[in-house]
Amino acid sequence: AWVNSLSMGMVFFCSPIVSIFTDLFGCRKVAVIGAAVGFVGLLSSSFVSTIEPLYFTYGILFACGCSFAYQPSLVILGHYFKKRLGLVNGIVTAGSSLFTVSLPFLLRVLIDSVGLYNTLRVLCILLFVLFLAGFTYKPLVPNTKDKEGGKKGKFRFPPEKKICNFSVFKVLSYRIWAFGIPAALFGYFVPYVHLMKHVKDRFGDSVPEEVLLLCLGITSGVGRLIFGRVADYIPGAKKVYLQVASFFFIGLMSMMIPLCHAFGSLIAVCLFMGLFDGCFICIMAPIAFELVGAQDVSQAIGFLLGLMSIPMTVGPPIAGLLYDHLGTYDVAFYLAGLPPIIGGFILCFIPWVHERQKLKERAKPADGETTEKMLENERTLVLDTTEKPVKEMESGV
């Protein structure tokens, strides 16, 4: 369990570092190297016979490789797509839902037939495919290396300010977004972690709890495709309202879990939860592009994922402590529904703030033009006053 927890934590903790490397060296190199590191980590894990080395091979090496391979896949889409960026993100992220549904069954068959270590070696094939796919990433937006190196292509180490691009936090709408998303995630993942245990406590072994995971995975993939396309029709930062809706419904569904005394009603809750989970995930990158632009989107996503790692790590253990003290998950699920609703309320201010920022930016050039016109008028007045005496003197002569 600690190996898996370390692995999931490292994927998100590495995100700010990945964004820096993406800006420095580009999406292609970072994705290829990340897939190679992940391949080495997973392959070496298949030869480990004790738990201690797995902390490094699987918990750190494999997880860091996955983190370096994952984030460029979100950034590169904005280089090629603008009008249909939401749909493209929905299609790309729907792949994870597809494997969430199918991979557990495949893993069970592989482990039963060839064992754990050979299963890990088979999974290395997926990492090798990811390694090859990374070579197709051809960024259209120049990175920091291209800007600093110039036409000769020589790499000059950029200033510290350009390495850690904290300027994204100067954008007020992004600051609200980067605070609101982690605030919502304190309760977001509690149902995903503790739902199976809650089902066993309430219904026993008489119900197939795997059906709930299947429902979550299928509807999450459908939600990514549907809401990704819907996001393309919503202009600018107003796409955030889709995330607001997703947080509201996920919080509401979390609160409804303790009220479900029939397994069928719990299936319905999971269907809705998966649908809006897909909505939240598929429009993260399009919103980041809208708030900070294509040049800064890599580190904007990286900082956000890094901040997300804190509530993702803290929320489920707190729910577990409540279960240990109370003997039931009911209070934990009720409380888990509050942070998504509060976080969604915070995000409601982003479109209004973003529009005000745009108006200020538009007003600056207008003010400059007005100043130039005033200077031109002053110059013409001065010329007129100097030309009149000269003309009068000439006429007198």
Side-chain angles (χ1 to χ4, degrees):
W2 277 106
V3 171
N4 282 324
S5 298
L6 178 62
S7 178
M8 287 300 298
M10 287 301 297
V11 170
F12 288 93
F13 277 124
C14 288
S15 295
I17 302 172
V18 176
S19 64
I20 294 171
F21 277 92
T22 303
D23 281 349
L24 289 175
F25 302 106
C27 295
R28 178 189 291 174
K29 291 181 179 178
V30 173
V32 169
I33 293 173
V37 171
F39 179 87
V40 172
L42 192 60
L43 185 63
S44 58
S45 298
S46 68
F47 293 98
V48 171
S49 57
T50 57
I51 191 70
E52 287 79 10
L54 281 177
Y55 286 107
F56 174 73
T57 59
Y58 189 88
I60 295 178
L61 199 62
F62 170 69
C64 288
C66 290
S67 182
F68 273 73
Y70 168 68
Q71 194 171 318
S73 69
L74 297 179
V75 176
I76 194 65
L77 298 176
H79 292 242
Y80 287 89
F81 301 94
K82 184 65 178 175
K83 291 182 179 179
R84 294 180 175 85
L85 183 59
L87 176 61
V88 172
N89 271 277
I91 294 172
V92 170
T93 56
S96 63
S97 295
L98 178 63
F99 278 88
T100 299
V101 173
S102 59
L103 200 57
F105 300 100
L106 176 62
L107 290 177
R108 185 175 297 175
V109 173
L110 285 173
I111 291 173
D112 292 339
S113 57
V114 299
L116 174 63
Y117 298 125
N118 287 323
T119 298
L120 293 176
R121 291 162 194 161
V122 172
L123 291 177
C124 288
I125 298 173
L126 297 178
L127 269 298
F128 184 71
V129 172
L130 192 60
F131 172 79
L132 297 177
F135 286 101
T136 63
Y137 295 1
K138 185 179 179 182
L140 302 180
V141 178
N143 55 36
T144 306
K145 176 181 175 181
D146 298 330
K147 296 178 198 173
E148 297 294 328
K151 294 181 180 178
K152 296 181 181 179
K154 295 180 180 179
F155 178 68
R156 297 177 183 176
F157 206 74
E160 186 179 349
K161 291 182 179 179
K162 290 189 177 181
I163 296 175
C164 294
N165 187 14
F166 292 109
S167 61
V168 293
F169 287 99
K170 293 180 180 179
V171 181
L172 180 57
S173 55
Y174 175 77
R175 289 205 304 270
I176 298 172
W177 194 53
F179 172 75
I181 297 290
L185 292 183
F186 274 101
Y188 189 94
F189 285 97
V190 170
Y192 294 91
V193 175
H194 297 288
L195 182 59
M196 297 299 103
K197 183 68 169 60
H198 170 73
V199 171
K200 284 187 177 181
D201 289 347
R202 176 160 292 187
F203 300 101
D205 296 327
S206 60
V207 295
E209 64 268 12
E210 295 86 359
V211 174
L212 300 179
L213 291 177
L214 192 66
C215 294
L216 286 169
I218 292 174
T219 53
S220 180
V222 173
R224 296 175 197 199
L225 294 172
I226 293 175
F227 288 105
R229 188 69 184 108
V230 170
D232 293 331
Y233 294 104
I234 300 176
K238 291 182 179 179
K239 293 179 176 67
V240 172
Y241 288 131
L242 287 177
Q243 281 190 333
V244 173
S246 66
F247 281 143
F248 175 79
F249 280 101
I250 287 173
L252 185 62
M253 292 299 108
S254 179
M255 291 179 175
M256 289 184 66
I257 289 174
L259 303 176
C260 296
H261 297 284
F263 188 68
S265 59
L266 203 56
I267 290 176
V269 166
C270 289
L271 290 173
F272 277 101
M273 187 175 289
L275 189 68
F276 287 99
D277 171 75
C279 174
F280 161 67
I281 291 173
C282 74
I283 59 174
M284 282 184 63
I287 291 174
F289 274 96
E290 292 290 345
L291 297 182
V292 300
Q295 294 288 348
D296 300 325
V297 73
S298 176
Q299 295 205 30
I301 294 176
F303 288 136
L304 178 65
L305 293 178
L307 291 170
M308 285 169 55
S309 65
I310 300 171
M312 287 175 61
T313 307
V314 172
I318 293 176
L321 288 173
L322 289 172
Y323 175 79
D324 291 338
H325 284 84
L326 302 174
T328 178
Y329 282 110
D330 291 358
V331 175
F333 285 129
Y334 287 134
L335 294 178
L338 292 177
I341 295 173
I342 294 171
F345 178 75
I346 294 171
L347 298 183
C348 288
F349 295 96
I350 291 177
W352 176 71
V353 172
H354 193 65
E355 286 299 320
R356 289 194 65 183
Q357 287 176 338
K358 280 187 174 182
L359 290 174
K360 286 181 180 179
E361 290 174 0
R362 291 171 186 169
K364 287 179 181 178
D367 293 340
E369 291 175 3
T370 306
T371 306
E372 289 179 3
K373 289 180 180 179
M374 290 175 66
L375 290 173
E376 288 178 4
N377 292 332
E378 288 179 2
R379 288 171 189 167
T380 53
L381 286 171
V382 171
L383 289 172
D384 290 340
T385 53
T386 53
E387 286 177 0
K388 284 181 181 178
V390 172
K391 289 180 181 179
E392 288 175 357
M393 289 175 66
E394 289 177 355
S395 60
V397 173

